[in-house]
Structures are given as C-alpha cells and as structure tokens.
Amino acid sequence: MHFEDMECRWMKPWLTLMGATVLMMIQISGSSSGCFPEEKRSLLAFKASYSDDSLLPSWVDDPNSNCCEWERVTCDPSSNHVTDLSLHGLFKNGSMPNHYGVFDCYGSPSLNSSLFLPFKELRTLNLSFNCFGDFIWNPDNRSTSTLETLETFDLSHNNLNEGVLEFLFGLTSLKNLILAANNFVGLFPSKGICRLKQLEVLDLGGTDFEGTLDICLSNMSSLRTLDFSDNSLSGKISTTLIASLVSLEHLSLYGNKFEGVFSFNILANLTKLKVLQLGDMDSRTFEVQTEHPAWNASFQLEQLNLFSCKINSPTYRTPSFLSSQNRLKFLDLSKNNLVGEFPNWMLVNYTKLKALYLNGNFFTGNIKLPSDPILQGMDQLHVLDISSNHIQGKLPNNIGFFFPNLEYLDVSSNMFDGHIPASIGEMSNLTALNLGNNNISGSIPENIVIGCTSLLHLFIEANQLNGTLLSCIAKPGLYTLSASRNNFEGSIVTQDKCQHDFIFLDLSQNNFSGALPSCLNMSSAKIIYLYGNRLTGAIPEGLLNSRRLLAIDLSDNNFMGTIPESIYDSESLTLLLLGKNQLQGNLSSQICELRNLQVLDLSENSLTGSIPSCFENLRFAGRMQFLNFPNIDFISLIPLNPEYDMFGFAIYAGYTYVQVTVKGRPLFYHGNIVELMSLLDLSSNRLTGEIPHQLGDLSRLHALNLSHNRLSGLIPESFHKMQSMESLDLSNNHLSGQIPIQLSELNLLGYFNVSYNNLSGRIPNEKQFATFDNSSYQGNPYLYRDWDNDNKHIPITPIDDGKKDATAASYVTVILVFMAIRWINPLQE
C-alpha cells in the first residue's frame, strides 16, 4: 500500500503536465495557420466587401496562409491574436487622394461593425480614407464588449454620419479617436465624448458640428491633442476648460464661429503646448488678446496659427511673447492689421522656422537681412509670405543667399522698388515667386531663369519692368507666368520654341508686338491673356487648341484673318474675348458648340453674315470654373510639406483683369465681378439680317450689345424672357417696328439704347422704362413718348454731344457701383 501511494503521488504531476501539453497542441492545431480562424474569416470577409486583390494580394483563402503575415496586419507574437489593422486608403469605391489630401467617392458602402467583433486583442484599427457611409451595428448585442482592448480608432476622411458615435462612445478603453473629415451634423456630442475619460488624442476636425464646448471636457486630464477645427462651434471658448487641460500639446480650434476675446493668459500653465491654431473664425466678435492680462509663456510653440484673429485690437501690436519662442517651425499672423516696423527679428531669431506668413498687415519700413557672411542664413525656411503690407525700399541683394531653400516667396502688393535681386537665382528649390504689384523696375535677371530650376509659377505683374521676356517664356516647366501691366516689349515667342507648358499665361497690357508663329502650341493652357498689346498677323490654331482652355483674351491687338477653328473644340471655355482686332469672315455657327461660355466679346472687328440662331444653346450662366475664391482670378494649388503647412497646400494668386464694352465705354472687371457677369458683345461689326428670336431664351444673360451693325427687322418680343438682363444696346442698326411693350417686364434693366434705328410708335413708359431719358431713343424720328393735350405726339428731343457723353459716363458709374456691390456682398456673407 505504501508503494502504491507513492506511485500515485509521483504520477499526478505528470498527468497534469501531459494534459496541459495536449490542450496546447489542440490550441496550436486549431490555429495552424498562425492566426485564429475566426479572425482570418473576418479579414477575408472585409476584403470581399471593401477591397480587392490588387490592394490586398496576400490576403488569400488558403489553409496554409498565415494571416499574421499578411500586409497591414500585426499579431501578438505570443497569443497570435490580431492587434493592429491598418486598413486605410483601400479605395475600392473611390479615387486615390490627390496631393491636397482630397479624394472623390463613387458610392459610399456601409461599414459593418460585426466584422471586427472576433478580434479580442485588437489595439489599433485604422479605417481612414475609405469612403465608408452608413455604420451598421446592433446596440443590443453588446457589440463593443469584445473590443475592450481597442486604444486607437481612426475613421477620418470617410462619409460617415453621426450614427457611428454611439458605438464609439461605448469604447471606453480608447486613447486615440480620430474622426476628422466626415459628414457629422447636429449638436456637438459633448456628453458622449466625456465618457471616454482615457482619451489622449481627440480629432473631430472638419465634421461640421454645431453648438458649444461642454465644461465636462475638462475632466479629460490625459488629453494631449484636441482638434475641433473646421466645425460650426459657437459661443465663447471656456477659459476654465482650456486652462484645466494641462497635458495639452496640440490645440486646434480654427475655422469655427467662436465669439468674444480669447486671452492668452489662460495658456500660462500649459507647459507642454506645442501647436496652437485659432485662426479663420467665422465671427465678427472673435479676437485674440496676447498682452492683457499680463502673463508669462511657460511653453515653447512649434506651430502657431492666428490667421485673421484681430490680434490685440485696437492697438494691433505684434504679440510680445513671440520674442521668446525660439522653436517655432510654422507661424501665421496673416490678415490681422498688425502695425509697426516690419519684424526683421523674426527672420533672424527663428532658426528652425519652415513657414512664415505675415501677409495682410500694415507693416512698414524695410526688409533688413544681416550682411555678415559669417552669420548663418535661414536654411530651414521653405515658405515666406509678406505680401499686402506697406513695406518699402529695395529687396535685399543677399535674399537668395540668406534663404537658400525657399520654395515659396511672396512679397507682392507692397511698395518695393529697385531691381530684382540676382541672388534669387540661388534658390534652386523655389517653386513659386510672386513680386507683383510693386514698383520694381529693370529687366528679369538671367540668373533667375537659369538658377531657379524648380520654378513653376512666376508673378511679376503691375510693376515697372522692361526689356523682353523671351527667356522666361521659353523656360522649361514654367506653368504660370503673370507679367501684365509692365513695359515689356518685343516678340512673345520665336520659331525655335513653339511648344509651351503654360497653364496660365498673362502678358496683357504691355508693348509686345509682331506676329505669333504658326507653329505655336499651348495644348496644356487653361487661361491665356494677351490683350492690350500690339500683336499682329493671324491667330495661330495651336494657341487655342487646348481642350482644357477656360479663358482666352486676345482683345485690343491687331490680329487679322478669321477666328481659328480650333477654338470650337474647347468645350470648357468660359470666357472668350477677341474684341478690338481686325478679324474677318462670317460668324460661324460652330461657336454654339462652346456651351459653357459666360462672356463672349467679338466687338470692334469686321465680322460679316448673320447672327447664328443657335446662340440659345450657350449657357451664359453659372460660376466660372477658374474663379473659386473671392478677389482672385487664378488659383494654383501647390503641395507643400505637411510638416510646416497644416492645410496641405498654398494659394498663389495672380490678379488679372477682364475688359468688356458697354455703350462704347471700356469697363474692367476682376475677381468676383467677372464671376457674376455674363455678357454677349457683337457690337461694331458688319453683321446683317434679323436678330434671332432665339436670343430671348438666354434668360440668365446680364448684358447684350449688338450695336453698330447692319441688323434689320423687328426687336424680338422674346427678349422679355431675359429676366437677368441689366444692359441692352441695339443702337446704330436698321431695326424697324415698335419697341415691344413686353420689354417693360425686364425688372433689372439699368441701361437701354435703341438710338439711331428706324423704330416707330409709342415708347414704353412702364417700370424700368420710366427711368430712361431721350438719349436711349434719339435718331428714331417716328418714335414718341406720348400725346400732348392737343392729341399730338410728343417727339424725342435730340441731346447734344456733351449731354450724350455725360449720360454714358453716368451709366458707366452706375453699372460699376452696382457690380461692385454685388462683388462685395458675397465676401460679407
């Protein structure tokens, strides 16, 4: 008995060990492919629903395939459970994002949360940039309970709505929640977010929430990143809330509707703060105060965005605390009306700075850079924008040596004079250079053309520059050249350089002369402005053969011949101005193929034939495709390093003008004025025949000028349908019959002229027509206003030349004021 007892005691540990071994073998055999079968099935189901073999080729339904070795999948080496899934940017239902981070979704599939329930040890889940729409989950099946280890969840850049939020608020283990750029609407869900007490990163940027920030957020003491940018949040920013978040490193509230004064003294105890973004509030009352009450900065910022924040109103002093911030990499103080001497110290002290925006202020004085060659330049700086200030003097001769790695330099709209420094040619990385709207003189240094090997965009308009531009125009890879309103002369291009890569070319209002070579080809062009020069010869077919062409202005030159047929293939063309030339031939019906036209000016040429009846097919309405921002005629979006450009792109604006003619007077429109204006001007040609009644179908046309032709017949009654009409000029033709009484229904009509025709009968005196004087009707002896007491017609009293000029001038003033009001109002909405 004793021996048997000993034997049993000896065997028991071995039995326990053998049992554990068997269980382990069973577990291993159940996970022979390296990961758990249920997790593998879920991954394959996800691929089948949302992706394909081209993006996830290693995800195969093979018993011998280990899903822990699949791309975008990470497993715990001990347990073989999936811990990290990087499923971003699969794009089965959308395009890849462009270099601005924007992508298009073609359908938005629903995201089924049940696919992720088998992952019991999942810590990181990235589903960003996938076009997901609705979120499917069952709140009754405790679907979040199996995700209790999840710490990071990224659903940014999808089309998800607020239905996903309740699911997320149940994931109480979350430390990083990134929901930027979705379609959330409604009130800001403070109460739900406050349940996630362990959050360290919360990003709700660009989700369009409304409401105010709840004080309960102050209990989230671990928050390091708080991003509520680009929403519609309003009210005052709680000082108690911000001051209590002592772990904050990144605070981004820009692009909301917050009100009141944000005083920097509430940041005094945020010792870890590195990024602060408060700019671009859609609020008239929001302003930033950095000087009062007194405080001391305990942090060192790396990024500061105070764009359009009314800093330190009403003194508008530059924030004094900035003098101690020596780690700044990104600084934006633009559009704040800051005053005083230009802060040259920023260009010297901020040695780590990569982007500096000081544009849109009232800085004065000169730019002063150290001349001592021993001092190191700012080789980290990539972006410098000091445009739209009152800075005077010459640009420093050593600017190119001091900022050798600049990619974007904008000094436009100041009062700089002197010559362009040749040292700019040392900036081999320079992508965009804007010197426009100054008093700079001389020629373009050859160093810039040769040395700036990366240059894509050059703006030198509205200066006193002279000489030729042949080398600039011939520079390979130059996409944008804005050189209008200077004194350049000579030829534009030569026979040995016919192919050009320009997207935007503005050489208007200079002294260029000569003919353009027939071989000229600008197949990539979107906008070409050559008006106001002395160019001659035929318009080359290749100049207008770009199918991407949006705007062409060749007016006020001496071009001859016919309108090139290549222009009729430009389906996207919005603006076509060929007036004030010597063009001949019939007005082709092919012009009606340009269905997106908004402004067509063929005035003051020698065109013959009749007006095509197909004009009704033209659009003459809607916003111009190339005018997307107020005050700006051309936008070029250039990708910048996201490390120093929080928006992912920069806006380079060239200011151009469009000239149209009303009552024989030139009117110049720019910015949103052009965007709002639609015009058809065929005046001062040799057109014959009747006015097509189909023109009356252009219900959104603002101005129609058919004056000084040889048109005959009646004024079409259909013109009463042109309800957007503001200016109608049919003068100096051979029109007959009566003025249709129906035209009195044109409630917006501000100018009307039918003088010097063969019209007869009573002049309408209703509504707008009661405001037009005799200058609108003279030269029609059989027109009369009404009967007198003796039942006789009251004739039209002739107006002398001086009064005619005064009337025309007053109309020009009225239409300019009217259009200016229409231009300003959208900016204030």
Side-chain angles (χ1 to χ4, degrees), residues 413-619:
S413 300
N414 279 287
M415 291 180 272
F416 289 114
D417 54 29
H419 293 180
I420 300 174
S423 68
I424 290 179
E426 300 297 322
M427 300 177 181
S428 59
N429 296 323
L430 194 65
T431 301
L433 174 62
N434 194 341
L435 307 175
N437 290 280
N438 282 287
N439 294 312
I440 300 173
S441 58
S443 58
I444 306 297
E446 197 67 19
N447 298 41
I448 293 179
V449 179
I450 299 173
C452 296
T453 54
S454 302
L455 193 63
L456 301 176
H457 308 274
L458 177 60
F459 299 93
I460 50 177
E461 72 279 354
N463 279 288
Q464 303 297 324
L465 297 168
N466 54 39
T468 68
L469 269 183
L470 284 174
S471 58
C472 276
I473 296 173
K475 181 176 175 59
L478 193 63
Y479 293 154
T480 303
L481 177 57
S482 177
S484 65
R485 289 167 286 156
N486 280 288
N487 300 312
F488 293 116
E489 57 188 4
S491 300
I492 290 179
V493 292
T494 58
Q495 289 283 357
D496 59 346
K497 177 60 176 176
C498 291
Q499 181 68 42
H500 293 271
D501 299 324
F502 288 114
I503 295 176
F504 174 80
L505 178 64
D506 184 1
L507 304 178
S508 59
Q509 294 182 279
N510 279 284
N511 296 314
F512 291 112
S513 59
L516 300 177
S518 58
C519 65
L520 183 63
N521 190 324
M522 292 193 180
S523 58
S524 300
K526 289 188 176 182
I527 299 174
I528 302 175
Y529 291 156
L530 301 180
Y531 69 88
N533 284 287
R534 293 181 286 128
L535 300 172
T536 59
I539 301 174
E541 292 280 350
L543 180 65
L544 310 178
N545 70 350
S546 171
R547 302 185 72 88
R548 306 166 64 192
L549 200 60
L550 298 176
I552 178 78
D553 189 349
L554 307 181
S555 60
D556 200 8
N557 279 287
N558 296 308
F559 287 117
M560 297 180 291
T562 59
I563 298 175
E565 292 192 3
S566 58
I567 191 64
Y568 304 130
D569 294 327
S570 303
E571 298 176 355
S572 301
L573 193 65
T574 307
L575 184 148
L576 176 60
L577 296 101
L578 302 177
K580 290 189 178 181
N581 281 289
Q582 301 175 33
L583 300 175
Q584 301 173 335
N586 288 347
L587 185 56
S588 172
S589 60
Q590 287 181 279
I591 203 166
C592 299
E593 300 297 320
L594 305 176
R595 297 178 183 270
N596 288 308
L597 272 182
Q598 186 170 329
V599 175
L600 174 61
D601 182 3
L602 303 178
S603 64
E604 297 190 51
N605 281 288
S606 299
L607 300 175
T608 55
S610 58
I611 299 174
S613 60
C614 60
F615 265 115
E616 63 178 325
N617 297 328
L618 299 184
R619 187 178 179 187

Side-chain angles (χ1 to χ4, degrees), residues 41 60 100 122 134 138 153 163 199 246 249 262 285 304 311 374 408 441 443 446 461 471 515 547 623 700-701 764 819:
R41 285 193 296 270
V60 293
Y100 317 124
L122 192 63
D134 292 333
N138 185 354
F153 202 171
L199 278 182
V246 293
E249 299 176 13
F262 183 95
T285 65
L304 176 61
I311 298 175
I374 298 178
Y408 172 43
S441 58
S443 58
E446 197 67 19
E461 72 279 354
S471 58
R547 302 185 72 88
R623 293 183 176 270
R700 300 173 72 177
L701 188 67
M819 295 304 294

